[in-house]
Amino acid sequence: MSNPPKQMRATVKLMMNSVFTKSREQFFLPSNVIYLDGNSLGALPKAVVQRMQQVVGEQWGQDLIRSWNTHAWIELPQRVGAKIARLVGASPDSVIAADSTSLNIYKLLLSTLSMRPGRRIIISDIGNFPTDLYIAQGIVQLLGNQHELILSETSALADTIAAHGEDVAVVMLTQVDYRTGALHDIEHMTRKIHQVGALAIWDLAHSAGIVPLALEAWGVDFAVGCGYKYLCGGPGAPAFAYIHPRYHPDLAQNTLPVALSGWMGHSKPFDFDPYYHPSPDLRQLLVGTPAVLSLSALDTALDVFDGLDMAVVRQESLALTTRFIELMEPIAEQYEFALVTPRDPHQRGSQVSYGSDYGYHIVQALIQAGVVGDFRAPNIMRFGFTPLYISLDDVAEAVARFAAVMQQGAWRDQGLARLAVT
Amino acid sequence: MSNPPKQMRATVKLMMNSVFTKSREQFFLPSNVIYLDGNSLGALPKAVVQRMQQVVGEQWGQDLIRSWNTHAWIELPQRVGAKIARLVGASPDSVIAADSTSLNIYKLLLSTLSMRPGRRIIISDIGNFPTDLYIAQGIVQLLGNQHELILSETSALADTIAAHGEDVAVVMLTQVDYRTGALHDIEHMTRKIHQVGALAIWDLAHSAGIVPLALEAWGVDFAVGCGYKYLCGGPGAPAFAYIHPRYHPDLAQNTLPVALSGWMGHSKPFDFDPYYHPSPDLRQLLVGTPAVLSLSALDTALDVFDGLDMAVVRQESLALTTRFIELMEPIAEQYEFALVTPRDPHQRGSQVSYGSDYGYHIVQALIQAGVVGDFRAPNIMRFGFTPLYISLDDVAEAVARFAAVMQQGAWRDQGLARLAVT
């Protein structure tokens, strides 16, 4: 993404300030806490509180079974999907909300393998989020070990794909590495994948709602993503799945096997036909009865993106991570933190991670000081940023507290105490 | 179940009255509505309203990511499972709450097929709830049509099982038929299934929380059930899965393939190991991040069963359906409704169904009159009963309104109008 010309910057900054001041007011955040863990669990949009009262008290309590129609519960997966579609650069009927990220990967991976019969290689990144890898391992075993999952180092991915060429059925990658925060160039990598005739499944867990995406324009075949990180849908929120319009005719003609053929994926679920005939569209990714409470929370949470331009979100997100890295510089140097997130803003998502042997204890001490990040084994301290509820002032305050925590040394006592017993 | 001796009946009735008066106070029900559709969506336990405010406002909003530990979100699937276990006659670690009924059938059916290699027949009931059949059809296709799904008439099930003998891998049945309300004798049928060396998967969608169950004592291998019917967990509530303790060593020794190998089923999910090693217990049925909002609602809903003896629930449930059938007798005769639910109380669950060509229109007219039942194609009017929030007085009032609706004839105008245009 190129920077705007100098004379425009002041205007853009003013606009961003007003945009994000308004968006910050839409979130509930605990007092005296700087929440840098929205990459794990997004903060609570205030409007969700009221929506949950409505859906529980009025819709379930009062209107009961009729709500499936009168409150359109039955359409929640598509309605929520359409809202997410705008954020990921897809047409409204190319995205559907359902189940978990893991289950959606399962559905799409089984489909892609059937679309590339005779090709036996699945490629992923050794640093991919483990559940994606576990699901692939389960499928390989289920299909009688005819396929092989190859886990490549990130830097060697393009070479690994080229080396296996026409043996590659599918490449499944997560755009932003959950530990390092490194960002894949989806368009470029998808082209590499297509060059060998393979299909691409992208996991957008750490990008939907924070990184501008143009899935359809980039020709991305399939994608999944998480509802509870930057999309702020609440703990364990439903996930989403995307299928490029070029495959919609296959859905309509029922040429793709449906991995998980539940009644909500049937073309006429309320006919109670004993034989499965899949819905001619993305609804064939649905399985059981929609999780109305969780879907309703996500539905309302997504309204915080109304009127937000993802390019502007990205610009401010990079301003936040850039400022954090700059201000952290002396601390990182003094305490020998290794910045594992790329310094080049175009190569990172919206988190900043440092490696430190004392990482676990430092993160605990920071949380005590009201700076909430998290720790990922073996030694990674992660800090996630979203302009929707984090400002440049918050970044400065977080770093000031970080410095104080390091100087007070509580982490060191904890850390050494822990080291002493292990 | 035998009736209590005469001298005990008055005492039992008194006890039931006080028990269920108390339980009815725990539910929110709209005024002037008699809700006979708890077999589709259970009514709202009042305590759920407060729990949802807590989990959204305080746990998510205030404590954010820390809630996974401090509010034990991560343990919800087991905690909720243990509560359900008591209701179905299982030990606490034999039941887990997760995903949907459809997905849980998928997981267990794949396991059972791997436990009976070489056996190619899956038997079910042609009247089984369609999603169970769809899932089985999907699995047969996925595994390359090596298996065959045989759909038997209910009355011929025992013969069908015996006829296919050692070819039968698994029999999957729903205890209470969703249309007719007919009840299988699980213990007896499981014995028939075991006689040919096959495994049993029971779907308890219409029995958990209303019919006394003794899954472990009856030797039931596997079971699934629904969280949003008699368990009152809310629309699209998580479902549950049960595995008999005799198979727990197989879980521990990892000898059963895990169909859906997501990170929550890993033995150490927070080690972020790139290779899947299943949890040594029922947690290997978990896939993605737990749906905390939905699980929390179900968790609190289950507290309405605290102190309730399922034998007493059953006795009152039969009193309700028996009274309904008795009082409906003249209406059924006059308007030629066919009672499709067994008259013998020991052969039915907790619903009463009638067939009528005008069924759809009558159900609509009843709903207008504040008697909420539902319609199932092709011609079934269903009425579900639970003593937890429906009394004998409600039954009498429902039938009085039914009689009035039939006499006023609004259904007939609707019905004929509809017939005229089709």
Side-chain angles (χ1 to χ4, degrees):
Chain A
M1 217 165 59
S2 59
N3 287 322
K6 222 168 191 177
Q7 65 272 29
M8 277 186 63
R9 285 191 204 169
T11 323
V12 166
K13 196 162 179 185
L14 250 182
M15 187 184 70
M16 286 200 303
N17 280 343
S18 73
V19 163
F20 293 113
T21 303
K22 195 180 149 209
S23 99
R24 275 169 219 139
E25 287 165 0
Q26 295 182 58
F27 283 89
F28 177 82
L29 283 164
S31 59
N32 207 28
V33 164
I34 298 166
Y35 188 63
L36 306 183
D37 209 11
N39 51 323
S40 183
L41 172 65
L44 168 65
K46 289 176 186 166
V48 170
V49 175
Q50 199 189 343
R51 174 70 178 269
M52 291 315 283
Q53 285 170 354
Q54 266 174 6
V55 70
V56 174
E58 295 170 28
Q59 298 181 2
W60 173 13
Q62 186 73 35
D63 297 338
L64 284 156
I65 193 71
R66 285 195 305 161
S67 297
W68 284 107
N69 298 318
T70 57
H71 299 293
W73 284 351
I74 199 72
E75 292 163 16
L76 274 166
Q78 296 116 281
R79 209 160 69 234
V80 172
K83 286 187 182 180
I84 297 170
R86 181 182 81 79
L87 304 180
V88 299
S91 37
D93 62 351
S94 296
V95 178
I96 199 153
D99 300 320
S100 59
T101 309
S102 307
L103 284 165
N104 290 337
I105 291 208
Y106 185 87
K107 299 168 194 172
L108 297 181
L109 185 53
L110 269 179
S111 289
T112 52
L113 293 180
S114 80
M115 290 164 73
R116 291 294 180 270
R119 291 179 174 229
R120 48 177 294 282
I121 304 288
I122 304 164
I123 292 176
S124 192
D125 184 327
I126 182 89
N128 198 352
F129 190 71
T131 206
D132 300 41
L133 305 181
Y134 300 162
I135 289 290
Q137 288 157 23
I139 285 180
V140 168
Q141 195 186 352
L142 178 71
L143 300 182
N145 297 303
Q146 302 164 29
H147 297 86
E148 185 186 351
L149 174 65
I150 294 181
L151 299 184
S152 166
E153 294 296 329
T154 311
S155 57
L157 271 167
D159 289 345
T160 307
I161 293 164
H164 290 279
E166 293 189 358
D167 277 344
V168 184
V170 53
V171 179
M172 39 181 277
L173 297 170
T174 297
Q175 187 188 13
V176 177
D177 186 291
Y178 75 105
R179 276 181 304 207
T180 66
L183 177 84
H184 276 296
D185 180 334
I186 292 192
E187 188 178 16
H188 173 77
M189 187 60 83
T190 300
R191 211 178 298 127
K192 294 275 176 200
I193 295 165
H194 286 171
Q195 273 169 10
V196 299
L199 295 163
I201 302 178
W202 284 96
D203 182 339
L204 308 171
H206 291 266
S207 24
I210 193 71
V211 174
L213 294 159
L215 295 184
E216 281 184 21
W218 296 337
V220 169
D221 304 294
F222 300 94
V224 299
C226 175
Y228 56 78
K229 298 179 184 292
Y230 295 104
L231 298 184
C232 301
F240 66 89
Y242 148 91
I243 298 182
H244 194 282
R246 80 168 75 96
Y247 304 115
H248 292 197
D250 298 299
L251 302 180
Q253 289 152 33
N254 185 18
T255 53
L256 297 179
V258 179
L260 300 169
S261 45
W263 73 310
M264 283 296 137
H266 193 282
S267 57
K268 293 177 177 173
F270 296 97
D271 275 10
F272 300 99
D273 177 357
Y275 299 97
Y276 185 70
H277 299 289
S279 178
D281 49 35
L282 260 83
R283 282 176 294 182
Q284 64 182 249
L285 295 177
L286 301 180
V287 190
T289 307
V292 171
L293 304 188
S294 297
L295 277 165
S296 298
L298 177 57
D299 185 39
T300 288
L302 288 164
D303 292 342
V304 299
F305 290 94
D306 276 359
L308 285 187
D309 178 342
M310 288 309 296
V312 175
V313 170
R314 174 66 171 164
Q315 195 170 341
E316 187 68 1
S317 145
L318 289 183
L320 294 170
T321 51
T322 300
R323 181 73 61 85
F324 185 74
I325 292 171
E326 284 168 7
L327 294 178
M328 281 292 292
E329 206 83 56
I331 301 174
E333 194 173 332
Q334 181 175 353
Y335 297 96
E336 298 180 358
F337 297 166
L339 177 66
V340 294
T341 303
R343 258 176 215 280
D344 174 1
H346 302 124
Q347 291 186 40
R348 68 172 178 255
S350 199
Q351 77 182 55
V352 178
S353 302
Y354 295 95
S356 164
D357 290 346
Y358 297 100
Y360 177 82
H361 305 288
I362 294 169
V363 166
Q364 297 309 311
L366 281 170
I367 290 171
Q368 293 302 315
V371 177
V372 179
D374 66 21
F375 176 80
R376 283 291 175 267
N379 71 339
I380 302 280
M381 302 185 285
R382 292 198 309 181
F383 305 95
F385 299 84
T386 170
L388 275 72
Y389 50 83
I390 295 294
S391 68
L392 287 169
D393 289 346
D394 292 329
V395 169
E397 173 65 17
V399 176
R401 293 189 196 183
F402 209 133
V405 160
M406 295 309 295
Q407 277 160 23
Q408 286 155 11
W411 60 274
R412 189 181 284 126
D413 303 339
Q414 278 191 304
L416 294 178
R418 173 91 165 228
L419 287 175
V421 295
T422 54
Chain B
M1 215 167 59
S2 60
N3 288 321
K6 221 168 191 171
Q7 65 272 28
M8 278 186 61
R9 286 192 202 169
T11 323
V12 167
K13 195 162 179 182
L14 251 181
M15 187 184 72
M16 288 201 303
N17 279 343
S18 73
V19 164
F20 293 114
T21 303
K22 196 180 150 211
S23 99
R24 274 168 219 137
E25 287 166 0
Q26 296 183 57
F27 284 89
F28 178 83
L29 283 164
S31 60
N32 207 28
V33 164
I34 299 165
Y35 188 62
L36 306 182
D37 209 10
N39 51 325
S40 183
L41 172 66
L44 168 65
K46 290 176 186 166
V48 170
V49 175
Q50 201 189 342
R51 173 69 179 267
M52 291 314 282
Q53 283 170 355
Q54 267 172 7
V55 70
V56 173
E58 295 169 30
Q59 299 182 2
W60 173 14
Q62 186 74 34
D63 296 340
L64 285 156
I65 194 71
R66 286 194 305 161
S67 297
W68 284 107
N69 299 315
T70 56
H71 299 293
W73 283 352
I74 199 71
E75 293 163 16
L76 274 166
Q78 297 116 282
R79 208 160 70 233
V80 172
K83 286 187 183 181
I84 296 170
R86 181 182 81 81
L87 305 180
V88 299
S91 36
D93 62 350
S94 295
V95 178
I96 199 154
D99 300 321
S100 60
T101 309
S102 307
L103 284 165
N104 290 336
I105 291 209
Y106 185 86
K107 298 168 194 171
L108 298 181
L109 185 52
L110 270 180
S111 289
T112 52
L113 293 180
S114 80
M115 291 164 73
R116 291 293 181 269
R119 290 178 173 230
R120 48 177 293 282
I121 304 288
I122 303 165
I123 292 176
S124 191
D125 184 327
I126 182 88
N128 199 351
F129 190 72
T131 205
D132 300 40
L133 305 181
Y134 301 162
I135 289 289
Q137 288 157 24
I139 285 181
V140 168
Q141 196 185 352
L142 177 71
L143 299 182
N145 296 302
Q146 301 163 29
H147 297 87
E148 185 186 352
L149 173 66
I150 293 181
L151 299 184
S152 165
E153 294 296 328
T154 309
S155 57
L157 270 167
D159 290 344
T160 307
I161 293 165
H164 291 279
E166 294 188 358
D167 277 345
V168 185
V170 52
V171 180
M172 39 180 277
L173 297 171
T174 297
Q175 186 188 13
V176 177
D177 186 291
Y178 75 105
R179 276 181 304 209
T180 67
L183 176 84
H184 276 295
D185 180 335
I186 291 191
E187 188 178 15
H188 173 78
M189 187 60 83
T190 300
R191 210 179 297 127
K192 295 273 177 201
I193 295 166
H194 287 170
Q195 274 169 9
V196 299
L199 295 163
I201 302 178
W202 285 96
D203 182 339
L204 308 171
H206 292 266
S207 24
I210 193 71
V211 174
L213 294 159
L215 295 184
E216 281 184 20
W218 296 338
V220 169
D221 304 293
F222 300 94
V224 299
C226 174
Y228 55 79
K229 297 178 184 293
Y230 295 104
L231 299 184
C232 301
F240 66 88
Y242 148 91
I243 297 182
H244 194 283
R246 79 168 74 96
Y247 305 115
H248 292 197
D250 298 300
L251 303 180
Q253 290 152 32
N254 185 17
T255 53
L256 298 179
V258 179
L260 300 169
S261 45
W263 73 309
M264 283 295 138
H266 193 281
S267 57
K268 293 178 178 174
F270 295 98
D271 275 8
F272 301 100
D273 176 358
Y275 299 98
Y276 186 70
H277 299 289
S279 179
D281 49 35
L282 260 83
R283 282 177 293 182
Q284 66 182 247
L285 295 176
L286 301 180
V287 190
T289 307
V292 171
L293 304 188
S294 298
L295 277 165
S296 298
L298 177 56
D299 185 41
T300 288
L302 289 165
D303 292 342
V304 300
F305 290 93
D306 276 359
L308 284 187
D309 178 343
M310 290 307 298
V312 175
V313 170
R314 173 67 171 164
Q315 196 169 341
E316 187 68 0
S317 145
L318 289 183
L320 294 169
T321 52
T322 301
R323 181 73 61 85
F324 185 74
I325 292 170
E326 284 167 7
L327 295 177
M328 281 290 294
E329 207 82 57
I331 301 174
E333 193 173 333
Q334 182 176 352
Y335 297 98
E336 298 180 359
F337 297 166
L339 178 65
V340 294
T341 303
R343 257 178 215 282
D344 174 2
H346 302 123
Q347 291 186 37
R348 66 172 179 258
S350 199
Q351 75 182 57
V352 178
S353 302
Y354 295 96
S356 165
D357 290 347
Y358 297 102
Y360 177 83
H361 305 287
I362 294 169
V363 166
Q364 296 309 311
L366 281 170
I367 290 171
Q368 293 301 316
V371 178
V372 179
D374 66 21
F375 176 80
R376 284 292 175 264
N379 72 339
I380 303 281
M381 302 184 285
R382 292 199 309 181
F383 306 95
F385 299 84
T386 172
L388 274 72
Y389 50 83
I390 295 295
S391 68
L392 286 168
D393 289 346
D394 292 329
V395 169
E397 173 64 18
V399 176
R401 293 189 195 181
F402 209 134
V405 160
M406 296 309 294
Q407 276 159 23
Q408 286 155 10
W411 59 274
R412 190 182 282 124
D413 303 339
Q414 278 191 304
L416 294 178
R418 173 92 166 229
L419 287 175
V421 295
T422 55

